[in-house]
Amino acid sequence: PTNSWYLNLVSHKSSVKPDEIMSRVYTTPYVIDTAPPNDIAGIRLHWPVVKASANNIQMVYDFKNGVSIGTADVDASYKVDEDEGISDLGLSLKWGDKSDKAMVTHIVRGMPYSTTRYYGGALPALHSDNAPDSQPLIDGETELDCEGGGTATVEKEIQLHFRNSDFTWAIFFSKPVEVSCEIIGDDINVAAFELSVIDYEVDDEPLTARMALIDPCTTGQSDISQHCSEKNEWEDPDGYVALLRERAGTFPTSPTIDFEYPEDDIPADEREVKMTIDWKAKSSFTDGEEGDDKNEVIMFALPHHQGDLADTCTTYCIPTFHGKTCLVKGSTWSLTEDISTPVSFTAGRPPEAETIPALAEALKKDIHYRLSDNMMRGAADTYFSGKILARLGRIIAIASELRTLAEGSVETIKPLYNDDVKDDFIAASIKAAANEDLPSESDINKAVKMLGKGVEIWLTTDAEATYVYDQSWGGFVNCGCTYKGKGEHGHCRNHFPEECPALEDVNEDFGNGFYNDHHFHYGYHILAAGVVAKHDPVWAAKTFDRVLLYVRDIANPLADDEYFPQFRQKDWYLGSSWAAGIVSAENSPHGRNQESSSESIAAYEGVALWGAAVYDAGIANNLELAKLVRDAGQLLTMTELRATNRYWHVWSSDDHTNSYPSAYTKLVVGMMYETQASFQTWFAPYAVVSYGIQLLPLTPIAEYRDDPEWAAELYPLYKESCEAAGDFCTDNGWSILQAGLLATTGSHEKAIDQALQVPEKVFATDGGIGNSLSNTLWFIATRKPV
């Protein structure tokens, strides 16, 4: 799980220093980290609030308000519980040994409580850096005197109200326990607090303790006033607590998510994937108390889940980082994802006739684009090499599309595009293409042959920067290239296996060897492979297993693959992906991150297109797997696209709800973390790159990615930021994206003028690389009329 949302809890640093703040994760609604080992072994829960400024949104909390729950009977070191394992939605951690004394906790997305289970007589303990504001309340009736050294028996529940935080927590036990408590310190305002279970009946069933925050603003005296304003949004606080109490005995363990893809005979406009989340609920109710309702787990659902879960979704909702989040009853969730949106090498309509002459002129030059000598030797980094390959792939796709137009009729061309495209529009495009001197079949075939070699070299041991299989994490990583020489005739001076710079330094190759940005890198290579496969079925068959290595690394649809994890990058709870690998997230207290939502979408678009190209080629040995890759790629694309419109594109309209507080005034998020969204990037301080990194590459799926209404709001800001960045914007290719954005607003003619003014050399810069004049003009010419 190199890119999983919970990786910080099982990272290298956490295993050495479990008290480090870098080990935190966001489960929604809790931020969880490990308990400071000087207190107890276990986890610590924090209840954050959302705070926003013009450039930043983040979850804020005071560490002193966190509450640790665990045990003092085992060592602070922990590992993944081998009996439960891990899943995309959670994992189970174990302290101690179940053959002796042990504690297990299940950390799961959307959990309303923490769950800790105690084996072999291990005694639960709780620690807070805040003293209680009132005596602990046992079973709603009896107060426990923490200053008099008394003990008491808790049948089911104890409530704790703390001073400075003004939080009230409830701890629910699966069997009666005897407890004591202690206030540590003379000054009640800075004193700490400990609650200890000192005895309970030990039998075959472990003791289960579940802790939940039931009131973030008990008296209105919270040290973070926003806790009270957020509580005011709760519709029925008493009902919320009653439901928590009722369902406290049923908890999730290691959830699974299963996918049911549509059969090919389902009409295109009805295609959807059915996703089933099984929370793998267990019950700790004793005999005679268990009932059908109580045995159903409750979990928090985000706004995009709630439509499918309407029958079991409650009105008990709280504000979170991702919007209004509501409790849902049910041990399984049935969700559907519409994948009827076509993923294709073409847009929803052909290039408009008026633009085809300029496009044809650009194609005559671009079709002869030559991959550099070092590219043909696999002597480069994996990111920019992928963009260069994809550039040629897009040129080939566009040239092929125009030839198809020129040789077709309305009857043969119409099925290739959206149903709403008018016959006269298609006829005009056909006529315009037929009147131009387009790249010949020979030109296209030569480009396909070069591209095939350029893709394939990376997947052989002849590549100077060779790939290796990482047995530790189950991944496809690149050795890296220490480039010596200038220009295309330089070479990698390192050699595998003696020296692999990308496996030794997280700053090499954007951290590829540490699983950073794999989908960004490999998505471009896969897209290029899809273009070659579409034109050369023999090549597709020959290279299938090798190209599949890219897919298995970033978008593996196989649940039983013993060499690669399933869907490495994807967070199925959010719908988006995480780019940060095994080290980078430890550098930020805000957890996992992803910068370019658009490159993530394009990566999965490439997966779907490659799968479709191989499937359509009818390669018998690979048909079923190619179909699965196609459908999984489309699912990944559409979930990523919709998550982008929820969390990266920021605007409100009649049919789009802004997820964030109004204080955040930017129209995009540049960097998304687990607990922070900010208007910034890793690589440049200019506003234009925070905008632009969400707009590249210019591929067919962008029509569904960029809402014209959002684009119309964004364009003047993009233009202003490009001007403010001066030569940086133009020289580094960011003005290319400005032209594409302008076309999305409906201003095609002005966008064409902008594109034609871009200097040719710009298409070889870091910002322009991967694009071409042909692709830019094609993109503008195929935008939906507004």
Side-chain angles (χ1 to χ4, degrees):
T2 55
N3 299 69
S4 297
W5 62 273
Y6 51 72
L7 183 65
N8 281 16
L9 276 172
V10 290
S11 68
H12 308 299
K13 193 173 288 187
S14 292
S15 65
V16 175
K17 293 185 177 180
D19 61 326
E20 289 282 338
I21 64 171
M22 299 302 179
S23 65
R24 71 180 81 166
V25 298
Y26 182 43
T27 62
T28 307
Y30 298 105
V31 172
I32 290 181
D33 58 11
T34 49
N38 292 335
D39 301 333
I40 52 176
I43 58 173
R44 179 170 53 178
L45 277 69
H46 309 271
W47 186 269
V49 295
V50 181
K51 287 202 172 184
S53 64
N55 297 302
N56 184 272
I57 313 150
Q58 61 180 293
M59 304 299 283
V60 175
Y61 54 92
D62 186 337
F63 269 92
K64 292 183 178 179
N65 294 344
V67 176
S68 299
I69 186 166
T71 180
D73 290 347
V74 296
D75 185 74
S77 61
Y78 59 90
K79 59 183 179 180
V80 174
D81 182 12
E82 62 274 12
D83 293 334
E84 297 289 352
I86 58 178
S87 80
D88 291 330
L89 295 165
L91 81 166
S92 300
L93 302 178
K94 182 180 69 172
W95 288 257
D97 189 331
K98 289 181 183 177
S99 64
D100 186 16
K101 291 184 177 182
M103 184 191 76
V104 171
T105 184
H106 308 293
I107 297 174
V108 180
R109 280 291 207 191
M111 61 187 207
Y113 331 66
S114 68
T115 303
T116 45
R117 310 194 79 197
Y118 299 87
Y119 296 80
L123 296 172
L126 180 147
H127 177 90
S128 171
D129 287 333
N130 286 329
D133 199 47
S134 57
Q135 301 288 13
L137 183 63
I138 296 174
D139 295 320
E141 298 177 351
T142 307
E143 291 186 349
L144 175 62
D145 183 5
C146 294
E147 297 178 322
T151 65
T153 297
V154 179
E155 294 293 332
K156 293 183 178 180
E157 171 190 336
I158 185 169
Q159 289 187 18
L160 304 169
H161 172 218
F162 293 102
R163 294 184 70 80
N164 300 317
S165 67
D166 200 29
F167 290 173
T168 296
W169 298 80
I171 302 96
F172 305 96
F173 294 100
S174 62
K175 60 181 73 174
V177 296
E178 187 174 356
V179 299
S180 65
C181 56
E182 180 183 5
I183 297 173
I184 305 169
D186 297 329
D187 185 347
I188 195 67
N189 292 308
V190 295
F193 169 79
E194 289 184 354
L195 177 76
S196 301
V197 171
I198 57 177
D199 193 26
Y200 64 92
E201 181 181 350
V202 179
D203 52 30
D204 292 339
E205 287 298 316
L207 170 67
T208 302
R210 305 199 75 197
M211 183 170 71
L213 185 127
I214 62 174
D215 195 333
C217 180
T218 307
T219 66
Q221 302 299 312
S222 172
D223 58 3
I224 299 178
S225 61
Q226 196 169 342
H227 283 299
C228 294
S229 60
E230 288 196 357
K231 183 193 172 182
N232 291 336
E233 299 181 35
W234 294 19
E235 185 172 309
D236 179 8
D238 292 338
Y240 173 73
V241 175
L243 183 60
L244 288 174
R245 182 174 290 119
E246 177 188 293
R247 302 299 175 98
T250 305
F251 52 91
T253 55
S254 296
T256 59
I257 180 167
D258 295 315
F259 307 91
E260 182 182 341
Y261 299 98
E263 297 296 331
D264 273 358
D265 59 357
I266 300 295
D269 60 352
E270 297 178 12
R271 287 175 59 80
E272 63 182 22
V273 177
K274 296 179 181 179
M275 298 181 288
T276 301
I277 295 175
D278 185 342
W279 295 106
K280 296 298 180 183
K282 292 183 179 180
S283 176
S284 61
F285 286 112
T286 58
D287 291 342
E289 292 184 349
E290 186 172 351
D292 291 340
D293 290 339
K294 286 184 178 181
N295 204 39
E296 290 290 329
V297 74
I298 54 173
M299 303 296 292
F300 276 111
L302 297 177
H304 69 280
H305 302 137
Q306 293 163 21
D308 284 334
L309 303 173
D311 291 343
T312 55
C313 188
T314 73
T315 57
Y316 303 126
C317 306
I318 59 173
T320 71
F321 189 58
H322 299 103
K324 187 178 181 180
T325 304
C326 304
L327 284 176
V328 169
K329 302 175 182 178
S331 296
T332 60
W333 288 6
S334 295
L335 307 171
T336 58
E337 189 67 38
D338 181 354
I339 61 167
S340 63
T341 299
V343 177
S344 170
F345 288 107
T346 62
R349 64 209 53 78
E352 55 193 1
E354 295 80 1
T355 311
I356 286 179
L359 177 54
E361 187 67 25
L363 275 173
K364 283 193 292 185
K365 183 173 184 178
D366 283 341
I367 196 64
H368 298 292
Y369 177 74
R370 183 181 67 85
L371 297 177
S372 64
D373 181 72
N374 64 303
M375 278 292 302
M376 299 303 287
R377 291 183 282 110
D381 68 69
T382 55
Y383 178 62
F384 285 116
S385 64
K387 296 186 79 167
I388 290 169
L389 294 170
R391 167 183 171 154
L392 182 55
R394 287 296 307 144
I395 292 167
I396 292 168
I398 295 164
S400 178
E401 180 183 5
L402 284 195
R403 285 200 62 84
T404 301
L405 277 173
E407 297 167 1
S409 64
V410 172
E411 290 73 22
T412 60
I413 296 299
K414 191 174 179 63
L416 304 179
Y417 298 103
N418 291 352
D419 293 339
D420 60 356
V421 183
K422 303 297 184 183
D423 287 1
D424 56 353
F425 185 96
I426 294 174
S429 296
I430 291 173
K431 182 178 180 181
N435 287 336
E436 294 300 324
D437 180 17
L438 299 173
S440 67
E441 286 291 345
S442 175
D443 291 335
I444 293 174
N445 290 336
K446 287 178 182 177
V448 169
K449 186 175 181 179
M450 175 182 287
L451 182 59
K453 290 181 178 178
V455 171
E456 191 174 358
I457 185 63
W458 286 92
L459 298 170
T460 70
T461 55
D462 293 331
E464 292 189 27
T466 187
Y467 283 106
V468 297
Y469 177 73
D470 174 18
Q471 297 183 49
S472 297
W473 292 96
F476 196 46
V477 294
N478 194 267
C479 179
C481 176
T482 303
Y483 199 75
K484 182 179 181 180
K486 292 184 178 181
E488 62 179 300
H489 299 299
H491 66 276
C492 301
R493 68 183 185 188
N494 58 291
H495 300 281
F496 173 80
E498 290 83 9
E499 185 181 358
C500 282
L503 305 184
E504 298 168 1
D505 185 351
V506 71
N507 296 309
E508 288 287 335
D509 200 4
F510 301 92
N512 178 280
F514 296 79
Y515 295 91
N516 287 357
D517 300 349
H518 272 205
H519 56 331
F520 298 163
H521 296 210
Y522 301 166
Y524 287 112
H525 289 258
I526 297 167
L527 173 63
V531 173
V532 182
K534 183 176 176 65
H535 288 267
D536 188 348
V538 174
W539 183 92
K542 180 182 72 169
T543 61
F544 180 83
D545 288 332
R546 283 177 285 165
V547 175
L548 189 64
L549 291 171
Y550 283 133
V551 176
R552 290 166 73 191
D553 186 82
I554 68 167
N556 188 9
L558 302 171
D560 58 352
D561 191 327
E562 63 180 301
Y563 295 103
F564 293 89
Q566 187 180 31
F567 302 125
R568 180 188 304 279
Q569 320 277 156
K570 198 70 169 179
D571 186 329
W572 286 109
Y573 188 71
L574 296 181
S576 53
S577 296
W578 296 116
I582 58 176
V583 171
S584 63
E586 295 179 345
N587 297 325
S588 170
H590 296 288
R592 323 305 295 159
N593 70 74
Q594 176 163 278
E595 188 175 54
S596 179
S597 60
S598 52
E599 286 187 292
S600 187
I601 293 168
Y604 299 136
E605 177 189 25
V607 170
L609 289 172
W610 178 74
V614 176
Y615 181 73
D616 292 343
I619 301 169
N621 292 341
N622 303 314
L623 275 181
E624 286 305 310
L625 184 51
K627 176 185 174 184
L628 179 60
V629 169
R630 178 199 68 187
D631 291 347
Q634 195 162 12
L635 171 64
L636 290 163
T637 302
M638 298 316 299
T639 50
E640 199 77 18
L641 188 151
R642 293 186 177 109
T644 292
N645 274 289
R646 284 192 298 270
Y647 305 131
W648 274 264
H649 295 186
V650 185
W651 92 107
S652 294
S653 67
D654 291 341
D655 58 359
H656 181 84
T657 302
N658 182 8
S659 300
Y660 300 125
S662 58
Y664 184 79
T665 59
K666 305 301 182 182
L667 290 177
V668 303
V669 167
M671 288 290 298
M672 180 69 68
Y673 294 82
E674 286 189 69
T675 60
Q676 176 179 268
S678 60
F679 188 70
Q680 65 179 47
T681 66
W682 285 112
F683 58 92
Y686 301 105
V688 69
V689 299
S690 287
Y691 295 132
I693 200 65
Q694 310 306 333
L695 296 171
L696 59 82
L698 302 179
T699 62
I701 199 63
E703 176 173 330
Y704 307 96
R705 180 191 74 201
D706 302 334
D707 187 281
E709 187 173 348
W710 171 76
E713 289 188 42
L714 178 60
Y715 180 77
L717 299 175
Y718 195 106
K719 180 176 183 292
E720 178 184 341
S721 65
C722 185
E723 292 169 351
D727 291 343
F728 172 87
C729 182
T730 301
D731 292 348
N732 289 278
W734 300 101
S735 59
I736 298 170
L737 302 173
Q738 181 179 331
L741 183 63
L742 181 58
T744 303
T745 71
S747 297
H748 293 193
E749 290 185 16
K750 292 181 179 179
I752 290 290
D753 290 340
Q754 281 190 15
L756 292 174
Q757 292 173 21
V758 175
E760 182 179 353
K761 64 180 182 179
V762 168
F763 291 102
T765 64
D766 286 356
I769 202 169
N771 212 328
S772 63
L773 180 58
S774 294
N775 191 60
T776 306
L777 294 175
W778 170 89
F779 185 85
I780 294 168
T782 57
R783 293 311 86 198
K784 186 176 183 179
V786 177

